[in-house]
Amino acid sequence: MELLGILLPLGLLMYFAFRGITLLLLAPVMAVFAVVLSGGLSPLAAFTQIFMINTADFILAFFPLFFLGAIFGKLMDDSGSAESIARWVIGKLGMGNAMLAVVICCAVLTYGGVSLFVVAFAIFPIASALFRDAAVPKRLIPGAIALGAFTFTMSALPGTPAIQNAIPMPYFGTTAFAAPGLGIIAAIMMFGLGMLWLNHRASAALATGEGYGNHDDGLPEPDTVMRAQAQNEGFDVNEIEATEDTRNLPPFILAIAPIVIVVLVNFLFVEFVVPQLETAYLAEPLFGATSIEAVRGVWAIVVALTASILFLILSNFRRFPDIRETLNKGADAAVLPIFNTASLVGFGGVIAALPAFGEITDGLMSLSDGNPLVSVAMSVTTLSALTGSASGGMSIALDALGSTFVAMANATGTSLEAMHRVTSVASGALDALPHNGAVITVLGIAKLTHKDSYLDIFVTAVIVPFIALVAIIVLANLFGGF
């Protein structure tokens, strides 16, 4: 009965999230339901003292990243910089490389910090025109967007400001550039294997003369379910609502500069500024009795995004139809996503407090045979798959077991940088299952069904990342974090 108290609420959370009900409502209701089913805890105490405290702790730690990331994405969209980058890449690669062009466009934008949903809405009209001209089936577009937007740039490439790369930092005392060698290897594997699959599928379709197909390619307005799924996955619909574009696009150099600034300032701050700072005061209770190792990664991304936002505003001021509206919508777009993700963390905190969770943890630890890299990978992939959220699953695992993973790593001499990279890649290895919010929303944008396109998403965003995860675990066990 105790195990049912965990599995049934998780199953219901998956089902209702798939049906488009917001996690802001689902997470607390299912947390209390789990307590009632399991017994042993006061439902009111579990809600106010466990759920709410875990939720608040996540918001406290990561709100700056959600806030600045949402503003940055909105500025990139409204300034025309995202579209300018996409058109430049496509112009250079040509119509004969439609698949590669779409993947690279999505990768460049998401690596720079532009949200998946901004990218999907911006790239889909261009992708549909490219695929139609190249006689590539439309059903392959979601797989191409998935490969470019929520695989290697989300979790593997060092320096990405994606929240999936930021969440492990305070737990392991690492930065966004943790284990760059492992990250680059994982990224190359994801990109290479994903492109092999998509090109194989395109070639097979060409051989049979399938062509693009007869489709309505008008960009849909986000409906109620798509809005809910976008918010569940960590983005607000305010970020993706289409606006009439009557302005001139910025030149490519100006458009790409904010992305370069994000990565470069992030790196320079960690490597050269932080070592020069006097940070002993962080140990005082006023500042949470923390250390620079726990906050330097978040600080670096905050500084990098702030610098890029200021550059975007100053260099594109005349291109914004209404800069005040852009900033307001960007700021508003941060609120629901972080509360939804934080609610998942609160749900995970309640689940972790139930007696049966200890049995699940012991089972996972025994299967890993004491290997901390395998332990963290199994925990994160399992919870990301169940919740359909990379950030949510990772947060639940680290919030419940983060100190255990660190202790295991220290006891076995395992690099914490390797732990960070394995954790990040693991979060994106099994999250893109059919109930995942990003999957549902991208299919909605393309006006396609799971039957039409999910196989390609499954291969590029589940099987391929899982292969890369296994590879870097083996490499990290052999050579450590590098």
Side-chain angles (χ1 to χ4, degrees):
M1 184 64 182
E2 288 184 348
L3 191 59
L4 181 65
I6 291 178
L7 297 180
L8 181 58
L10 268 173
L12 290 174
L13 185 142
M14 290 170 56
Y15 172 76
F16 286 117
F18 183 81
R19 301 297 299 174
I21 297 179
T22 176
L23 291 172
L24 196 60
L25 175 62
L26 280 177
V29 170
M30 291 305 158
V32 172
F33 182 47
V35 170
V36 172
L37 281 180
S38 301
L41 294 177
S42 162
L44 284 174
F47 177 66
T48 61
Q49 305 307 120
I50 301 176
F51 179 90
M52 289 307 303
I53 288 176
N54 279 271
T55 299
D57 286 345
F58 183 86
I59 294 171
L60 179 68
F62 296 109
F63 180 76
L65 304 190
F66 279 81
F67 175 70
L68 294 171
I71 292 175
F72 176 75
K74 188 63 176 171
L75 288 168
M76 285 290 290
D77 188 23
D78 284 5
S79 67
S81 297
E83 184 177 347
S84 176
I85 292 170
R87 293 190 179 279
W88 186 89
V89 170
I90 289 164
K92 290 298 179 182
L93 292 177
M95 292 293 184
N97 294 294
M99 192 76 70
L100 179 62
V102 170
V103 172
I104 289 180
C105 285
C106 292
V108 170
L109 293 171
T110 50
Y111 181 60
V114 183
S115 76
L116 158 66
F117 293 92
V118 170
V119 171
F121 268 81
I123 296 300
F124 174 73
I126 301 171
S128 64
L130 278 175
F131 277 44
R132 187 183 293 277
D133 290 343
V136 177
K138 179 184 177 181
R139 58 183 171 81
L140 298 181
I141 293 178
I145 291 176
L147 177 60
F150 47 102
T151 58
F152 57 95
T153 60
M154 182 183 82
S155 62
L157 280 179
T160 176
I163 192 67
Q164 291 81 4
N165 191 38
I167 289 173
M169 296 190 301
Y171 294 95
F172 301 129
T174 49
T175 73
F177 294 89
L182 292 175
I184 291 171
I185 289 171
I188 291 172
M189 289 186 68
M190 291 185 206
F191 174 75
L193 293 175
M195 285 303 303
L196 280 175
W197 171 262
L198 291 173
N199 286 331
H200 165 72
R201 295 277 282 171
S203 297
L206 182 64
T208 60
E210 177 180 348
Y212 182 80
N214 185 20
H215 299 281
D216 172 18
D217 289 330
L219 195 63
E221 286 295 322
D223 61 16
T224 302
V225 173
M226 193 185 299
R227 288 170 185 266
Q229 292 296 347
Q231 292 164 359
N232 286 350
E233 186 62 20
F235 301 97
D236 195 330
V237 75
N238 286 334
E239 245 190 305
I240 60 177
E241 286 176 341
T243 56
E244 185 178 355
D245 186 5
T246 58
R247 63 201 182 285
N248 292 324
L249 298 179
F252 172 75
I253 294 299
L254 186 61
I256 199 71
I259 292 176
V260 175
I261 289 171
V262 168
V263 178
L264 185 61
V265 172
N266 189 347
F267 177 78
L268 293 176
F269 187 86
V270 168
E271 295 297 323
F272 299 103
V273 176
V274 169
Q276 304 302 317
L277 297 177
E278 173 53 52
T279 58
Y281 64 88
L282 290 173
E284 299 175 10
L286 176 64
F287 300 102
T290 188
S291 65
I292 186 59
E293 287 75 19
V295 298
R296 60 180 178 167
V298 173
W299 284 10
I301 296 178
V302 166
V303 171
L305 284 172
T306 301
S308 195
I309 286 169
L310 292 174
F311 177 84
L312 265 167
I313 293 172
L314 294 174
S315 61
N316 292 281
F317 191 81
R318 295 184 181 278
R319 291 188 174 89
F320 294 108
D322 186 337
I323 185 63
R324 181 179 60 182
E325 182 181 2
T326 294
L327 291 173
N328 285 346
K329 281 195 170 185
D332 290 344
V335 177
L336 276 176
I338 192 168
F339 270 89
N340 277 301
T341 305
S343 293
L344 262 183
V345 175
F347 171 81
V350 172
I351 295 298
L354 299 177
F357 187 78
E359 299 176 18
I360 296 173
T361 302
D362 292 343
L364 289 173
M365 295 302 177
S366 64
L367 288 174
S368 68
D369 197 27
N371 186 309
L373 295 172
V374 176
S375 295
V376 73
M378 290 180 63
S379 301
V380 172
T381 52
T382 299
L383 288 167
S384 295
L386 289 171
T387 60
S389 169
S391 57
M394 185 197 324
S395 298
I396 292 171
L398 292 180
D399 195 55
L401 300 170
S403 58
T404 301
F405 294 142
V406 171
M408 291 176 67
N410 290 334
T412 57
T414 302
S415 163
L416 289 177
E417 290 216 345
M419 291 287 285
H420 172 129
R421 189 54 54 204
V422 167
T423 301
S424 184
V425 173
S427 74
L430 293 181
D431 69 314
L433 296 180
H435 62 289
N436 173 270
V439 170
I440 294 170
T441 305
V442 169
L443 290 174
I445 291 170
K447 296 183 180 178
L448 294 167
T449 67
H450 282 76
K451 181 179 179 180
D452 295 325
S453 298
Y454 182 69
L455 173 61
D456 299 299
I457 295 175
F458 182 73
V459 172
T460 59
V462 177
I463 292 180
V464 166
F466 192 84
I467 292 172
L469 172 64
V470 172
I472 65 169
I473 289 175
V474 172
L475 290 172
N477 277 314
L478 290 174
F479 304 108
F482 62 90

